[in-house]
Amino acid sequence: MKAIVYTQYGSPDVLQVQDVEKPEPKKNEILVKVRAASVNRTDCANLRAKPFIMRFGLGLFKPNKRIPGTEFAGDVVKVGHDVTSFGVGDKVFGFDDSVLSSYAEYLVVQTSKGVSTMPEGFNYQQAGACIEGAHYAYNIINKIELKRGQKVMVNGASGGIGTATVQLLKYFDANITAVCNTKNIELVKSLGAAKVIDYSKEDFTKDPGKYDYVFDTVGKSTFGKCKSLLKPGGVYISSELGPWSQNIFYSLITALFGGIPGLEGKKVKFPYPPNIKRSVLLIKKLIEEGKFKSVIDRTYPLEKVADAFRYVEKGQKTGNVSILFGH
């Protein structure tokens, strides 16, 4: 089968198209014919193994799994002996940030992992590029006790995590202020934002409003810059570690003292996201209820995965980038 392979960490230039052996499912696994995948921020971080701490899971000196890719949609073509929850012919989708090897014509995945039957009404392309951002978005929101009508600012609202965050906040009846560029204003409004700040025209950190929560879904700001936006007791959460991993330090201080000392109880929380299966099932439910959609910026064939990585690494995409398989 054809697959994208890398044997060392680095830029997209290390990715190669090769013929590799087709995998066989173990007793608790399913074999999936991949129809679509995505290139996302998790894949980019895995490719370069940055931050360095990622190497303790991916492989210290070189990747343990030669085929990258974390997200997919496709058809079950074979099941392991002990599998009862899936059958041959099922349309499935899934995600695993520790690498699923989805940039290949076939993959195997344990049924206990973040995999489910595809939502009704979604095609392969939509299903293969909707979980990663939604998973991280949900694991930002579930770190706080969000109440109906509370004010939330979302920085980076037009990205993969940002578009999912806005939609989930809308589902939970939050009052959303979104930060994006000019071209995406109407998009984020359509997803549920009540107010939009165009960062190309004004500094969102100078906004006079006060918010219960500020979510930086692109990790390009800091608590220091955003703390004036928060109400007393308000919470800042970033999708990134922050300079010198400061968000982990601040979250520890928050846990110990109930807030950052001297700052009216304002808090920083770190969105550690362990339960992927829960996220997959929630997103499937919302899709089928018509309350969540996949936002896709552009599409590439499997052979052009390196170009897709280069585009994502520019940091200018809207929503998600899809990979379609030619079979």
Side-chain angles (χ1 to χ4, degrees):
M1 68 172 186
K2 290 191 180 300
I4 302 297
V5 173
Y6 75 139
T7 57
Q8 64 186 51
Y9 300 118
S11 73
D13 295 333
V14 305
L15 298 170
Q16 300 178 5
V17 180
Q18 293 185 9
D19 288 315
V20 301
E21 187 176 350
K22 181 179 173 181
E24 279 292 317
K26 297 177 182 177
K27 62 181 182 179
N28 61 343
E29 294 178 334
I30 54 176
L31 176 67
V32 178
K33 185 175 185 179
V34 182
R35 300 290 189 177
S38 73
V39 175
N40 50 60
R41 282 169 57 186
T42 301
D43 295 312
C44 292
N46 290 344
L47 178 66
R48 296 182 182 269
K50 291 183 177 179
F52 187 86
I53 193 172
M54 296 180 66
R55 292 179 181 241
F56 293 101
L58 298 172
L60 190 57
F61 300 108
K62 62 180 181 180
N64 292 328
K65 296 181 180 179
R66 296 173 59 234
I67 302 172
T70 58
E71 191 171 14
F72 76 94
D75 302 314
V76 177
V77 294
K78 191 173 182 179
V79 301
H81 182 268
D82 292 347
V83 173
T84 59
S85 52
F86 297 93
V88 173
D90 284 350
K91 295 181 179 181
V92 294
F93 74 142
F95 170 70
D96 191 334
D97 52 13
S98 63
V99 182
L100 269 174
S101 298
S102 59
Y103 299 157
E105 293 180 303
Y106 295 88
L107 63 79
V108 292
V109 59
Q110 293 181 22
T111 57
S112 61
K113 297 288 188 177
V115 58
S116 173
T117 52
M118 277 173 45
E120 294 291 333
F122 251 37
N123 60 34
Y124 293 114
Q125 183 179 17
Q126 294 168 317
C130 71
I131 302 175
E132 188 258 1
H135 170 60
Y136 293 125
Y138 182 49
N139 282 279
I140 288 174
I141 294 170
N142 66 21
K143 298 302 179 290
I144 50 95
E145 296 181 8
L146 184 66
K147 297 177 182 177
R148 183 176 183 178
Q150 284 188 309
K151 296 184 65 176
V152 186
M153 176 181 281
V154 181
N155 183 36
S158 60
I161 301 175
T163 53
T165 302
V166 172
Q167 292 182 80
L168 290 176
L169 288 171
K170 177 66 174 178
Y171 173 74
F172 291 116
D173 289 324
N175 184 317
I176 308 159
T177 294
V179 181
C180 66
N181 59 15
T182 307
K183 71 174 185 177
N184 290 314
I185 289 176
E186 293 308 314
L187 168 66
V188 297
K189 282 183 178 180
S190 72
L191 297 178
K195 174 183 174 181
V196 180
I197 296 174
D198 184 346
Y199 70 74
S200 67
K201 297 181 178 179
E202 58 182 307
D203 183 352
F204 76 91
T205 66
K206 306 300 183 184
D207 184 67
K210 297 297 179 182
Y211 297 86
D212 297 286
Y213 308 105
V214 173
F215 298 154
D216 184 1
T217 65
V218 286
K220 291 185 177 180
S221 193
T222 64
F223 172 69
K225 293 178 180 178
C226 294
K227 65 180 184 293
S228 63
L229 296 167
L230 291 169
K231 297 177 181 179
V235 179
Y236 171 85
I237 301 180
S238 175
S239 62
E240 298 293 334
L241 297 174
W244 304 286
S245 299
Q246 65 177 239
N247 293 328
I248 294 179
F249 171 75
Y250 279 137
S251 66
L252 291 173
I253 294 296
T254 293
L256 288 172
F257 299 103
I260 307 299
L263 289 178
E264 302 176 297
K266 296 176 183 180
K267 304 175 180 68
V268 175
K269 294 193 175 183
F270 189 71
Y272 178 60
N275 195 332
I276 299 175
K277 188 82 166 185
R278 178 180 62 182
S279 299
V280 171
L281 295 177
L282 172 66
I283 296 309
K284 178 184 176 180
K285 173 180 177 289
L286 297 188
I287 290 169
E288 292 180 337
E289 291 177 357
K291 296 175 180 177
F292 189 92
K293 66 180 181 179
S294 183
V295 179
I296 296 175
D297 184 300
R298 59 181 62 186
T299 302
Y300 293 82
L302 178 65
E303 294 78 10
K304 297 292 185 180
V305 162
D307 290 339
F309 270 87
R310 293 185 186 99
Y311 178 67
V312 173
E313 288 188 334
K314 288 180 180 179
Q316 299 175 341
K317 70 180 178 69
T318 299
N320 305 289
V321 171
S322 176
I323 303 298
L324 281 180
F325 290 68
H327 58 271

